Amino acid sequence: MTRQNDASEQQAGSGSAVPSRALSARRALLVLALLGSVSCGGDDTTGPGAPHDVDVAAGATAIVAIVNPVVNTPHTTGVPDVLGDARDGITVTATPGDSDVTADGVAVVGVPPGGIELAVSRASLSHTVEAEGDVVDAPIAFSGSAAAFFDNTPIRYAVNEASGAIFLDPSVPLAELEGHLAEDDRIVVLRPGRYVGSITITGKGTLLYGEEFLERAVVIDGSITAAGEEVRLRGLTITGDLISRGNNFGISFSLVRGNVSITGNAGAFVRNVFCGDTVVPSSNATLLDNHGVAPLEALPPILCD
């Protein structure tokens, strides 16, 4: 069951050519969306409604294009008038950078930092990649001849040590992890593994990012409570519940097996699977391609069993 949070507050979000050898090396770091899905190790999640998801290797700089995502019913930040229906077989090319073809609406292109022209078939968009190691989730409306980003996107993840990210593995004590997550603007990247225990995030502008989501490699064996403002999550499998009380919360490419209660306003929610009862914002929130939220109430098989 999906319910909307009807709170009334508002807080709106918003190069030289790369040598071909460098592009090949950069592309080799990317794990593309053409093969994987968010299943439970080895389980078959093929069939209608099974989302094929994406991960990017640590250190790679990439744009993850999500073309013509399904607009969830609680989405309130507007829909570009160029939104179309086509999702598969669309060529996405970054100049400078790589090229990829969408599968289930997703393409991953390696890019350098700096100004990028992103061509979706014959349509073109401009974006600036701020730093080496950035991963950028970019939901795009595409009519066949024109393209536009959705509001509150693209979403930047500055997951590189040079950008201040810290990298932790499952040996980290829970108290130490929560200590980092109490720091404002802290970027925490979790290495693959199972992190046992429920986590509370109290910092403002904190990012918790899981590596190798294609393999469901980062599992939080517990619940997550985001008590701070502007907290963001990406690439996590959460076995328990997800609770957020602050405004401008965001989550992308994640699986929550328990219940979801997001009671703040605004934020961006992209390409998730929410298995339990779900409360999401209805004020200034961008909600795209989320299973468990209307009109995608049907959940992919196996994932939520």
Side-chain angles (χ1 to χ4, degrees):
M1 177 182 71
T2 303
R3 293 187 290 121
Q4 297 180 21
N5 167 28
D6 293 322
S8 60
E9 286 184 37
Q10 296 196 121
Q11 187 170 353
S14 142
S16 59
V18 177
S20 59
R21 183 174 300 174
L23 286 179
S24 297
R26 195 185 307 277
R27 189 173 182 80
L29 292 172
L30 304 180
V31 182
L32 301 183
L34 305 180
L35 300 177
S37 60
V38 283
S39 64
C40 275
D43 293 328
D44 181 10
T45 59
T46 58
H52 300 285
D53 284 292
V54 161
D55 194 19
V56 179
T61 309
I63 295 176
V64 181
I66 305 110
V67 178
N68 287 333
V70 174
V71 177
N72 295 113
T73 302
H75 174 91
T76 54
T77 56
V79 177
D81 57 12
V82 295
L83 183 67
D85 297 323
R87 304 206 71 186
D88 291 342
I90 299 168
T91 300
V92 179
T93 303
T95 304
D98 269 347
S99 181
D100 192 23
V101 178
T102 58
D104 195 26
V106 176
V108 180
V109 291
V111 294
I116 303 294
E117 289 300 315
L118 193 66
V120 183
S121 187
R122 296 181 301 276
S124 183
L125 294 166
S126 296
H127 182 69
T128 298
V129 176
E130 294 186 35
E132 187 74 29
D134 280 5
V135 176
V136 179
D137 288 342
I140 296 170
F142 172 61
S143 67
S145 60
F149 294 122
F150 281 79
D151 286 350
N152 290 357
T153 75
I155 305 166
R156 179 195 181 206
Y157 302 96
V159 287
N160 192 2
E161 289 183 3
S163 296
I166 60 170
F167 292 75
L168 302 175
D169 63 39
S171 67
V172 63
L174 182 62
E176 181 180 335
L177 173 58
E178 288 192 319
H180 290 300
L181 296 174
E183 300 174 26
D184 291 349
D185 301 314
R186 172 57 72 189
I187 301 165
V188 176
V189 180
L190 298 182
R191 299 292 195 188
R194 183 175 292 270
Y195 297 75
V196 179
S198 293
I199 295 170
T200 299
I201 303 171
T202 55
K204 178 181 179 179
T206 305
L207 167 61
L208 185 60
Y209 184 101
E211 290 186 343
E212 298 184 23
F213 183 57
L214 258 183
E215 303 300 325
R216 284 95 38 216
V218 174
V219 177
I220 307 300
D221 196 353
S223 299
I224 291 182
T225 299
E229 302 277 317
E230 301 173 19
V231 171
R232 295 184 299 146
L233 311 176
R234 189 190 192 272
L236 305 176
T237 294
I238 303 168
T239 66
D241 297 335
L242 172 62
I243 300 166
S244 174
R245 307 186 186 101
N247 292 327
N248 280 311
F249 175 81
I251 181 169
S252 297
F253 289 92
S254 292
L255 165 65
V256 182
R257 290 202 169 99
N259 297 324
V260 174
S261 177
I262 312 299
T263 54
N265 296 292
F269 304 75
V270 179
R271 196 87 174 181
N272 301 294
V273 177
F274 299 139
C275 297
D277 290 349
T278 299
V279 177
V280 293
S282 62
S283 176
N284 286 334
T286 298
L287 292 103
L288 304 167
D289 259 1
N290 296 291
H291 284 254
V293 181
L296 297 177
E297 295 96 338
L299 297 170
I302 305 299
L303 286 179
C304 297
D305 294 346

